[in-house]
Amino acid sequence: MDRFRVMGVVNVTPDSFSDGGEFLDPAAAIAHGRRLAADGAGILDIGGESTRPGAAPVDAEEEVRRVLPVIEALADTGTQISVDTTKTEVAGRALDAGASIVNDVSAFRFAPELAGLVADAGADCCLMHMLGEPRTMQEDPRYDDVVADVKAFLDERMRFATAAGVREDRIWLDPGIGFGKTLQHNLELLRRLDEIVALGRPVVVGTSRKSFLGKLTGKPEKERLPGTIATNVIALERGARIFRVHDVAEVTEALTVAAATLSRA
Ligand code: HH2
């Protein structure tokens, strides 16, 4: 794998926390995906359900209606397509339409049979840590040791996936920044990200525009790019390989410089 890959976010939703409603129209989402691919995204992560705290659940039929036309249209960009879903039906339709990665923020907890589908399709998957479920995850999250707890969870989920037939070399791991974590939990996970990297699989990080950045800077969602860049550069240095972001051009530029600086070649 390259030193780093940027995963551009395409939210086909009315209510995502930073860009809800901007790309609900399929034509707008497709144009946005093409722009992110041109900006350097090696992966496009297409989602039809917001996971922000308190977001309204979406049924599978509606989620398919949102993401399918966008995946079909973007399948020819030469960029790998990921579907951001926790539902087997949505993932199945997306894989048939040209997606090759399932990004499941529940790490196969919400739909255990999704692991078998990923195995049969020979797809890649991203398994992310979240405390409980989006509706309640930010209500007083607690850990003994956040990094050790997240690491143990990801290790267990990886074993579950491989027992269901997913090849280990198809699995990516994600500490789930902002998913049932306080500001201090998020910062500690980033600071000690090398401990998650030690699990031996590519690590994905998603800090882009998240509220912990706003807590530190006082800035609203659309003005959190400097904090997004700072955290992604730190994560690269700590060994992360895949960076899930909204602002692909700027983050790619920053990571290119950071990777060259870190490179011994
Ligand atoms: N963050 C979000 C959604 N999906 N997937 C992974 N693997 N890692 C993440 O950190 C992650 C994710 C939340 O961001 P966004 O999609 O912009 O917001 P929303 O869930 O409100 O649509």
Side-chain angles (χ1 to χ4, degrees):
M1 184 181 288
D2 306 335
R3 174 119 204 182
F4 69 86
R5 299 179 74 193
V6 173
M7 184 186 226
V9 179
V10 181
N11 283 324
V12 196
T13 61
D15 57 348
S16 285
F17 79 95
S18 81
D19 57 3
E22 284 181 45
F23 311 112
L24 185 57
D25 169 41
I30 293 162
H32 186 58
R34 290 196 191 285
R35 154 64 44 204
L36 297 182
D39 284 348
I43 305 161
L44 293 173
D45 189 36
I46 300 166
E49 179 176 38
S50 171
T51 53
R52 75 181 161 75
V58 177
D59 65 34
E61 199 183 331
E62 171 64 12
E63 209 179 313
V64 167
R65 207 178 58 74
R66 290 180 187 175
V67 299
L68 214 65
V70 179
I71 292 171
E72 283 169 350
L74 292 174
D76 68 357
T77 53
T79 307
Q80 220 185 341
I81 305 283
S82 156
V83 61
D84 188 349
T85 190
T86 61
K87 299 189 186 76
T88 305
E89 185 185 339
V90 179
R93 297 286 298 275
L95 292 170
D96 289 344
S100 59
I101 306 166
V102 175
N103 174 26
D104 180 358
V105 297
S106 83
F108 301 144
R109 287 184 297 125
F110 295 176
E113 74 282 0
L114 178 50
L117 180 86
V118 166
D120 291 345
D124 292 317
C125 61
C126 177
L127 306 181
M128 196 196 78
H129 176 270
M130 168 177 20
L131 197 63
E133 47 157 336
R135 198 171 48 81
T136 53
M137 65 188 179
Q138 286 305 112
E139 291 171 8
D140 193 23
R142 283 169 197 254
Y143 300 88
D144 290 333
D145 171 340
V146 66
V147 180
D149 290 7
V150 167
K151 185 174 177 179
F153 171 93
L154 292 175
D155 193 31
E156 187 280 324
R157 289 288 85 196
M158 188 157 60
R159 284 168 206 274
F160 172 83
T162 53
V166 180
R167 271 173 36 191
E168 195 173 319
D169 65 358
R170 294 283 183 200
I171 299 174
W172 305 347
L173 302 174
D174 185 332
I177 298 296
F179 286 84
K181 280 113 186 164
T182 63
L183 168 62
Q184 289 308 327
H185 292 146
N186 290 318
L187 296 178
E188 187 158 1
L189 278 164
L190 289 167
R191 196 181 307 121
R192 293 170 54 197
L193 199 65
D194 53 319
E195 296 176 43
I196 307 293
V197 171
L199 286 168
R201 299 303 312 142
V203 168
V204 180
V205 282
T207 64
S208 190
R209 301 181 181 173
K210 284 187 177 166
S211 67
F212 79 107
L213 302 172
K215 287 199 177 100
L216 291 167
T217 62
K219 294 290 178 69
E221 287 82 354
K222 287 286 175 73
E223 296 173 29
R224 295 176 185 163
L225 179 56
T228 298
I229 288 174
T231 47
N232 279 303
V233 167
I234 298 272
L236 177 82
E237 192 274 333
R238 300 288 195 268
R241 286 293 166 264
I242 298 140
F243 301 84
R244 183 183 182 278
V245 297
H246 302 85
D247 304 285
V248 167
E250 295 87 345
V251 173
T252 301
E253 196 176 312
L255 290 175
T256 299
V257 174
T261 309
L262 292 167
S263 172
R264 287 169 202 279

